[in-house]
């Protein structure tokens, strides 16, 4: 009986060892499963990022009008965009300078009493005409000043495509000039 007891104890010990080994293996498999789940989640994120990058690539290719399949093509397009940006910055700067010049001119005209009579603007609209002074915009500042000085009061003239029709439209009306 002692022998049976020893055999039973040995069997029990072997079973305990097997259970312990099975638990270790189960824990190892649990950790492995967690690692695989984390890798799966990372792959899902990477896949979503890839789809996003692919969509942006298609947008860039549409803007470039060509395939951007390699770094060389992408670098060339990037350089082109930088050149365009620089050109737009220069244009913006030029327009800012032009705006400042025009604001200066407008201020000078207002200070010098060179504002346009509202009555003159109404007449211009009635006869579908154009103010002669608006033609000065095509001239540089010095040339415009010289031409205005030479024309004197004629700078307030209205240019019309059909003088007879304009005369009939305005005929017999008395107008008051505020300047």
């Amino acid at each position: 009986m002692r022998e049976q007891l020893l055999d039973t104890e040995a069997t029990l010990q072997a079973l305990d060892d097997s259970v312990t080994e099975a638990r270790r293996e189960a824990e190892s498999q649990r950790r492995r499963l967690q690692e695989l789940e984390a890798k799966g989640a990372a792959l899902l994120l990477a896949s979503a990022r890839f789809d996003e990058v692919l969509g942006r690539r298609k947008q860039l290719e549409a803007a470039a009008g060509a395939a951007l399949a390699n770094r060389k093509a992408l670098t060339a397009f990037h350089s082109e965009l930088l050149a365009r940006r620089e050109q737009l910055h220069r244009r913006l700067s030029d327009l800012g300078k032009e705006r400042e010049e025009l604001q200066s001119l407008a201020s000078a005209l207002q200070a010098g009493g060179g504002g346009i009579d509202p009555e003159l603007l109404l007449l211009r609209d009635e006869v579908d005409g154009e103010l002669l002074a608006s033609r000065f915009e095509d001239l540089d500042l010095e040339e415009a000043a010289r031409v205005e000085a030479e024309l004197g009061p004629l700078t307030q003239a209205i240019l019309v495509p059909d003088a007879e029709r304009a005369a009939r439209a305005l005929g017999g009306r008395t107008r008051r000039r505020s300047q």
Side-chain angles (χ1 to χ4, degrees):
M1 177 137 183
R2 186 154 174 74
E3 231 176 84
Q4 270 184 330
L5 190 57
L6 287 174
D7 281 345
T8 303
E9 282 183 10
T11 304
L12 279 174
Q13 185 60 43
L15 287 174
D16 280 344
D17 291 344
S18 291
V19 167
T20 301
E21 183 59 31
R23 284 186 178 145
R24 276 191 213 125
E25 182 62 25
E27 181 60 28
S28 173
Q29 291 300 325
R30 187 186 61 74
R31 282 193 303 273
R32 178 76 176 135
L33 179 61
Q34 286 175 337
E35 290 171 6
L36 290 174
E37 286 173 343
K39 284 182 181 179
L43 284 174
L44 284 175
L45 288 174
S47 175
R49 177 74 178 132
F50 178 80
D51 290 343
E52 180 183 341
V53 169
L54 186 60
R56 289 187 183 183
R57 175 184 168 188
K58 288 178 182 178
Q59 289 174 335
L60 286 173
E61 287 177 338
L68 301 174
N70 55 44
R71 184 169 293 281
K72 183 179 177 183
L74 191 59
T75 301
F77 182 57
H78 182 256
S79 296
E80 181 184 333
L81 288 176
L82 290 175
R84 284 185 202 171
R85 184 177 74 177
E86 181 61 32
Q87 184 181 25
L88 288 173
H89 280 292
R90 281 192 305 270
R91 177 76 176 130
L92 184 62
S93 175
D94 292 346
L95 288 173
K97 289 174 186 174
E98 184 179 342
R99 179 176 179 246
E100 287 174 14
E101 288 173 8
L102 290 173
Q103 284 177 332
S104 260
L105 178 60
S107 295
L109 286 173
Q110 284 179 341
I116 298 173
D117 182 1
E119 180 78 10
L120 189 60
L121 295 175
L122 290 172
L123 286 171
R124 177 204 59 191
D125 293 343
E126 284 183 43
V127 296
D128 195 27
E130 174 187 7
L131 294 177
L132 177 61
S134 68
R135 299 270 174 108
F136 297 167
E137 294 171 2
D138 298 333
L139 304 175
D140 66 33
L141 193 57
E142 290 177 24
E143 181 69 10
R146 186 189 61 74
V147 170
E148 184 177 356
E150 287 176 0
L151 289 173
L154 288 178
T155 58
Q156 300 293 316
I158 299 174
L159 304 173
V160 293
D162 184 352
E164 288 180 20
R165 187 178 67 101
R168 281 192 305 273
L170 299 175
R173 296 189 208 170
T174 55
R175 301 276 182 196
R176 167 187 81 69
R177 186 156 181 241
S178 64
Q179 288 191 10

